[in-house]
Amino acid sequence: MTRFDVLTVGNAIVDIIARCNDQFLIDNKITKAAMNLIDAERAELLYSRMGPALEASGGSAGNTAAGVANFGGKAAYFGKVAEDQLGEIFAHDIRAQGVHYQTRAKGTFPPTARSMIFVTEDGERSMNTYLGACVELGPEDVEENVVADAKVTYFEGYLWDPPRAKEAIRDCARIAHANGREMSMTLSDSFCVGRYRDEFLDLMRSGTVDIVFANRDEALSLYETDDFEKALKLIAADCKIAAVTTGKDGAVIVRGDERYVVDAHPIEERVDTTGAGDLFAAGFLFGYTQGRGLEDCAKLGNLAAAIVIEQIGPRPMRSLSEAAKQFGLL
């Protein structure tokens, strides 16, 4: 028996979420529907211009860990915060979700990371992230016994921005594979793919990563093509399993010559897409670590994504396990 189903590793970020119109994005030179890295000065400027906001613990991999736990899975998380108010909020929230989290906080400077997320009327989110303390994550934060005791270790592509995190991820991969476990990653963002395309491909082709999550745009960016069918064939050849989300069309799962096209779960209202990809990964990995077939894994992922799209904030406010039972998925 393993202690954990899924260990996730990522940037520990507190999300500050506010609504705005498209003109606000234009006036403030914010790239719509992307994750924009910003410095402390710009973080202060954007914060001063935000309307009423909701603060919620976030970070891509943190959201995924919370989602796995919400389904009833055993989840753990590695991510760095500072010894400040936002750091305390982050640690409290993820532990309250039932996630194992013991990463040591690092002083008071740089402060805990925060992402100012502007949600437009179409539900699209534009993220402006000051990485702060989370860039301090390094090999010393890898709890070897946790990695060895997790069925799948999952990390976000955003971790390739802070250099020492790369060492931590490679250590996790070494430990995981030495113990017969699997490694998984999400490509995170098409701009992130553009920065690290060759390194991401090497992680996949070398077998460092077994399971890859991407959305349609990220898959196209990875292979520098406009041909989605071509991208699917290439990603199927480069990793053990790839789960590619396709927005309102659902997801395509490929494993070698196998392919599963799974429709999106219906939603009543598209409120906020923040965390949709993170929660898809949570549902998929929960199903995968419970021994479910790939099609069922994708259905669980689509359900979790649909639920989080219908609310403000990246962590579901309702029980995913109850919802899965309601729809006959558990």
Side-chain angles (χ1 to χ4, degrees):
M1 295 288 290
T2 54
R3 227 173 116 205
F4 302 106
D5 296 313
V6 182
L7 160 66
T8 75
V9 188
N11 289 324
I13 297 171
V14 175
D15 292 334
I16 305 170
I17 306 167
R19 291 188 174 277
C20 73
N21 56 30
D22 284 294
Q23 190 59 47
F24 180 91
L25 300 182
I26 295 166
D27 291 345
N28 288 280
K29 298 180 174 59
I30 296 169
T31 304
K32 185 173 181 177
M35 195 281 282
N36 307 277
L37 288 176
I38 59 174
D39 59 20
E41 183 179 359
R42 181 156 171 79
E44 290 294 330
L45 174 68
L46 291 179
Y47 185 71
S48 72
R49 295 179 178 177
M50 291 184 94
L54 167 74
E55 288 186 1
S57 297
S60 175
N63 296 337
T64 299
V68 170
N70 196 317
F71 269 112
K74 295 170 289 184
Y77 176 72
F78 298 163
K80 203 78 164 173
V81 297
E83 293 174 330
D84 56 18
Q85 185 178 6
L86 287 183
E88 290 174 5
I89 289 171
F90 184 93
H92 170 270
D93 286 357
I94 199 161
R95 289 172 184 150
Q97 295 270 356
V99 176
H100 170 92
Y101 175 57
Q102 297 296 330
T103 307
R104 188 186 300 274
K106 185 178 176 67
T108 57
F109 188 84
T112 297
R114 71 285 314 265
S115 182
M116 276 144 289
I117 301 176
F118 296 95
V119 181
T120 40
E121 293 164 0
D122 57 0
E124 194 58 80
R125 85 283 185 271
S126 306
M127 300 182 289
N128 302 268
T129 304
Y130 169 59
L131 292 174
C134 71
V135 302
E136 303 295 333
L137 184 76
E140 68 277 8
D141 297 307
V142 174
E143 298 166 56
E144 185 166 348
N145 62 324
V146 175
V147 181
D149 225 5
K151 294 176 186 175
V152 177
T153 295
Y154 166 94
F155 68 94
E156 57 189 74
Y158 290 136
L159 276 182
W160 241 241
D161 285 312
R164 292 180 69 249
K166 295 182 184 184
E167 298 176 50
I169 292 303
R170 294 191 187 281
D171 283 351
C172 286
R174 174 182 53 77
I175 297 162
H177 288 141
N179 286 276
R181 313 302 187 196
E182 290 180 294
M183 284 294 293
S184 177
M185 76 173 292
T186 172
L187 298 185
S188 292
D189 183 293
S190 54
F191 292 92
C192 188
V193 173
R195 292 194 293 275
Y196 302 111
R197 181 177 294 108
D198 290 345
E199 290 179 73
F200 286 176
L201 287 170
D202 180 65
L203 287 171
M204 295 158 60
R205 291 168 179 169
S206 67
T208 304
V209 167
D210 305 290
I211 305 167
V212 175
F213 291 86
N215 64 28
R216 181 189 179 98
D217 289 343
E218 292 156 7
L220 293 173
S221 176
L222 184 65
Y223 295 104
E224 298 180 279
T225 180
D226 294 325
D227 185 339
F228 187 51
E229 180 61 28
K230 177 182 178 182
L232 285 175
K233 288 180 178 177
L234 290 170
I235 202 168
D238 281 341
C239 60
K240 180 180 173 183
I241 297 171
V244 184
T245 56
T246 52
K248 61 182 176 59
D249 294 325
V252 182
I253 315 301
V254 290
R255 176 171 57 189
D257 293 333
E258 298 174 57
R259 181 178 298 192
Y260 304 89
V261 180
V262 182
D263 290 339
H265 190 86
I267 62 170
E268 293 183 9
E269 183 184 7
R270 187 176 191 253
V271 175
D272 174 15
T273 58
T274 308
D278 307 333
L279 270 293
F280 175 86
F284 187 98
L285 289 172
F286 170 74
Y288 185 76
T289 55
Q290 305 308 306
R292 303 293 290 272
L294 295 182
E295 190 170 5
D296 280 354
C297 293
K299 288 179 180 178
L300 287 163
N302 284 340
L303 171 66
I307 286 172
V308 83
I309 283 170
E310 292 181 317
Q311 64 171 55
I312 289 285
R315 297 192 181 174
M317 298 174 189
R318 57 183 285 201
S319 167
L320 295 177
S321 61
E322 290 302 315
K325 289 171 187 173
Q326 177 187 340
F327 289 101
L329 297 176
L330 285 181

